[in-house]
Amino acid sequence: MSDAAQPTAAEVRAAVEAVKTALDRHLAAVERRSGEDDPAVYEAFNQLAAAAEVYDELLYDRYDEVTPFEIPGAEDSLPPYAGPEEPNAISVLIRRDYAVAEPQRLLAQAQRVEAVEYEGGGAAGEDGAGTVHGALGVLFGEFEPDEIASRHKEFGLEEGDSTLWVTAADEPTEPGEWLEEPFEQVDPERVVCRFDVSAVFDEDVSDDIDEEDDLELDRDEDEDLEPLDAER
């Protein structure tokens, strides 16, 4: 990279200040969280990850140094970005997986929504809230996906993996242009940023802790055995 293309020291300093601010916001969101799946905490987490990534890139470009910050899975699963430097449009692609852990709770919540709609003169869907299939249609038709994500336990759902991709486009798409195949034209080289949430990341940390505990236990056992061997 030429000297002219390198970020300035002031830009790197501004990026690290943004990380500090994002850290404070994340901690404040955690301290004020209203429950296990508070959307404010999720939003603060994403902002912190984005700020850390910008700082990491500028630090490397300017000083050829790196940080320990990492977005799990993003670098390993995506090719280098090859989209426009200044996108005129973006697409946000979100996938969230759930297990239907408590079907009866799901049905009950959907029936409550349906009862309110009946009182207001609304009509039930083809399946209504009498089946899991129909209940899912009722709930996802009534609530925004972010609200369901933050209240999933109330709806009898159990969270699985989730991912959010922000992709760049040269121009905004025409209305209805991609509705027939909304997920068929994703170019991995145009993904600006990606954020993944998965229990596997927690398991990796747990495995590391378990390995450390096993090593410590082995040391303790060795220490206990040494005096016995010495007596022999």
Side-chain angles (χ1 to χ4, degrees):
M1 181 178 290
S2 66
D3 291 339
Q6 287 183 345
T8 65
E11 288 174 328
V12 179
R13 174 60 59 181
V16 78
E17 292 300 326
V19 173
K20 295 176 184 178
T21 300
L23 279 167
D24 289 337
R25 288 175 177 169
H26 182 259
L27 177 58
V30 170
E31 291 174 335
R32 296 194 305 265
R33 66 182 176 188
S34 58
E36 182 179 347
D37 301 297
D38 191 330
V41 175
Y42 184 77
E43 175 73 15
F45 172 88
N46 287 340
Q47 291 176 353
L48 176 56
E53 184 177 21
V54 170
Y55 171 59
D56 188 84
E57 291 177 355
L58 293 179
L59 186 71
Y60 182 80
D61 290 344
R62 176 71 185 182
Y63 299 109
D64 199 27
E65 290 290 342
V66 296
T67 72
F69 302 137
E70 181 181 0
I71 300 175
E75 292 182 0
D76 297 336
S77 57
L78 293 175
Y81 178 71
E85 292 187 6
E86 297 183 2
N88 292 318
I90 62 169
S91 294
V92 180
L93 309 175
I94 301 175
R95 172 173 174 170
R96 296 182 177 126
D97 284 2
Y98 300 95
V100 181
E102 300 180 72
Q104 293 305 317
R105 181 183 291 272
L106 177 72
L107 293 169
Q109 291 282 18
Q111 288 164 5
R112 291 191 187 98
V113 171
E114 206 169 52
V116 172
E117 290 183 350
Y118 280 149
E119 291 177 1
E126 182 178 342
D127 291 329
T131 65
V132 170
H133 178 274
L136 288 170
V138 169
L139 291 175
F140 279 88
E142 177 69 16
F143 300 101
E144 294 290 333
D146 287 344
E147 185 171 2
I148 289 179
S150 65
R151 300 173 54 189
H152 63 276
K153 290 184 179 178
E154 296 179 34
F155 302 130
L157 302 175
E158 181 179 312
E159 272 188 321
D161 290 353
S162 67
T163 187
L164 181 151
W165 294 22
V166 179
T167 65
D170 296 312
E171 298 295 338
T173 58
E174 295 295 326
E177 181 178 335
W178 47 256
L179 290 179
E180 289 187 4
E181 296 180 327
F183 305 113
E184 295 298 320
Q185 299 178 356
V186 180
D187 184 352
E189 292 188 350
R190 286 180 170 248
V191 175
V192 178
C193 54
R194 170 180 175 174
F195 303 99
D196 297 326
V197 177
S198 174
V200 71
F201 302 138
D202 298 333
E203 291 172 3
D204 290 342
V205 174
S206 177
D207 290 344
D208 292 341
I209 294 174
D210 290 342
E211 288 177 5
E212 292 176 2
D213 291 342
D214 290 341
L215 289 172
E216 189 65 31
L217 182 59
D218 290 341
R219 293 193 197 101
D220 292 341
E221 290 177 349
D222 290 342
E223 291 173 359
D224 292 340
L225 289 173
E226 283 177 2
L228 294 175
D229 293 340
E231 290 176 4
R232 292 175 185 167

